[in-house]
Structures are given as structure tokens and as C-alpha cells.
Amino acid sequence: MNIFRLTGDLAHLIAIIILLHKIWKSRSCAGISGKSQVLFALVYTTRYLDLVTSYVSIYNTFMKFVFLATSYATIYLIYVKFKATYDHNHDTFRIEFLILPSLALALLINHYFNFLEVLWTFSIYLESVAILPQLFMVSKTGEAESITSHYLFALGSYRALYILNWIYRYATEGHYDLIAIVAGVVQTVLYCDFFYLYITKVLKGKKLQLPA
Amino acid sequence: VATHQGHDEL
């Protein structure tokens, strides 16, 4: 554990709390892509199956439970409790175009060919692109509420901080995991355009609005 | 090098 990893995890946790709090307080999930949230639940479910096979630390186990529980809670809020506010007309990204290639790639490029390892690899690949339905939705409507922007910024920062953590770990332990690193870089790059808009607009008090 | 015995990150 190092400062980059810890702040990365905290950014991830803050993102989830911002999202749940926004939906709960406004009693609405307008502007939120249910499809991205379904992909995140699939990511955590396939990655954290190792909860039953390998123990790392209390911290790891606790965070895995939190990520799993909150991802399913988010899906419940979007598809059940506040279903009437779900903007499904704008949430039209075809998620099979992300799931199937991630699965195919996980079967082809992995560290070790067994059930848990392929699912772990699938979760890494899928996570790198899981935000696309949400970014697609923002681009379709041409705008995002400030709170949704804060959510996206925290969520994007998490993997960027993990990249610093991987550099640090390589320097101090000689540890590296190419699959996680390449996917993490792809994931962070997908947020770059958003980061630019966030810094130049949202932080200056303006609404995130895309040029027409 | 990645360990195959389990992943220690989230």
C-alpha cells in the first residue's frame, strides 16, 4: 500500500458515494447511464470472485464488499426505485459491443488460463471501457449536471492514481502487471477529453456543456 | 512480475 494506491481507492469510493448521494437526494437518476452501472457491477462481480479463494487483507476484503454492494445498490436505484426518472432514451450504447470483445480478449491474452484468472482479466478489460455508455450519454445530451461531472472526475482520477501506484510499485518492488497497466492507461485516456472540459469549465463554475 | 496466486489490488 502506498499513497497513490490509497488516494486512488479513496477517489473510487468518493465517486460511488457522490453518485449514490446524488440519486438519493434528488430522487432521480436523470443523466446517469444505467448501462455503465450494469457494466461496473459485472466488473466487480467477475473480479472479486477471488473473495472466496484468496485473502489479501481486511482492507481489501472490506473494499471489495463495499464496491460489490454499492454497485448493486446503484442498479437497484436506477432500474427499480427511481425507474421513472431513468433517461433510457439517451442511454442507447450497445453494451454487447464492449462485453463480447472484452471476453474474447480475456480468453486470448491473460496471465494464466483458468476460470478465475480469465474472469479477472475480463473484468480489467471491461472496466477500461465501462464508462463509454455514460460518456456517450453525456455527448448525446450535450451536457452533464455539475454533480455528474464531479462523479466522473473522481471515477476517472482513480485509475490515473493507480498508474502512479504502478510506477511506484515497479520502482520500489519491481512489481508490474502489464494487463492491468495497459488497460488502466486505456481507461484513463478515455477520460482525458472529459478531464479537459472539467478543468476548463466545471471548476470555473460553468456547466459542462459540449460545443454544438 | 505479476503473481498468479491472486491479485492484491482492487
Side-chain angles (χ1 to χ4, degrees):
Chain A
M1 179 64 78
N2 58 63
I3 190 70
F4 306 114
R5 162 79 198 280
L6 185 64
T7 47
D9 286 348
L10 289 179
H12 194 184
L13 196 60
I14 288 167
I16 291 167
I17 292 168
I18 290 174
L19 181 64
L20 280 173
H21 184 258
K22 171 212 142 56
I23 296 174
W24 191 256
K25 269 284 176 184
S26 64
R27 321 295 288 170
S28 164
C29 53
I32 301 300
S33 165
K35 292 189 173 183
S36 275
Q37 298 307 317
V38 166
L39 292 181
F40 283 124
L42 189 57
V43 163
Y44 303 135
T45 308
T46 50
R47 186 174 310 167
Y48 299 154
L49 284 175
D50 68 354
L51 265 175
V52 287
T53 59
S54 66
Y55 174 81
V56 179
S57 64
I58 284 283
Y59 172 82
N60 259 53
T61 303
F62 173 75
M63 294 296 263
K64 285 173 178 176
F65 268 116
V66 169
F67 290 150
L68 276 169
T70 50
S71 68
Y72 284 98
T74 308
I75 287 178
Y76 168 77
L77 293 183
I78 295 174
Y79 288 99
V80 182
K81 192 158 175 72
F82 302 123
K83 191 179 196 286
T85 64
Y86 169 50
D87 199 3
H88 62 88
N89 289 330
H90 288 125
D91 195 13
T92 49
F93 199 97
R94 299 276 298 271
I95 55 173
E96 60 272 32
F97 291 156
L98 301 177
I99 296 172
L100 295 177
S102 299
L103 187 61
L105 199 59
L107 288 165
L108 289 171
I109 304 174
N110 52 59
H111 291 308
Y112 199 73
F113 195 81
N114 69 30
F115 184 69
L116 279 184
E117 188 63 23
V118 168
L119 283 185
W120 177 87
T121 313
F122 165 72
S123 84
I124 293 288
Y125 294 151
L126 185 62
E127 182 187 342
S128 70
V129 292
I131 201 59
L132 286 178
Q134 179 66 62
L135 294 177
F136 181 68
M137 196 172 176
V138 171
S139 75
K140 230 183 161 190
T141 56
E143 58 178 39
E145 282 179 60
S146 293
I147 193 74
T148 306
S149 305
H150 299 326
Y151 162 70
L152 282 169
F153 184 75
L155 194 64
S157 309
Y158 134 73
R159 223 50 177 171
L161 287 160
Y162 258 70
I163 294 174
L164 299 179
N165 154 58
W166 292 324
I167 294 169
Y168 181 87
R169 286 192 71 175
Y170 181 67
T172 57
E173 304 164 36
H175 168 98
Y176 68 95
D177 181 334
L178 266 184
I179 287 178
I181 292 169
V182 173
V185 168
V186 169
Q187 185 169 341
T188 304
V189 165
L190 291 182
Y191 283 87
C192 281
D193 186 39
F194 167 80
F195 283 155
Y196 174 77
L197 290 172
Y198 185 82
I199 291 164
T200 55
K201 293 199 171 172
V202 182
L203 288 186
K204 290 179 179 153
K206 287 184 241 166
K207 196 172 178 177
L208 193 138
Q209 236 163 351
L210 301 179
Chain B
V1 180
T3 53
H4 299 146
Q5 281 77 22
H7 302 280
D8 61 353
E9 289 175 347
L10 294 166

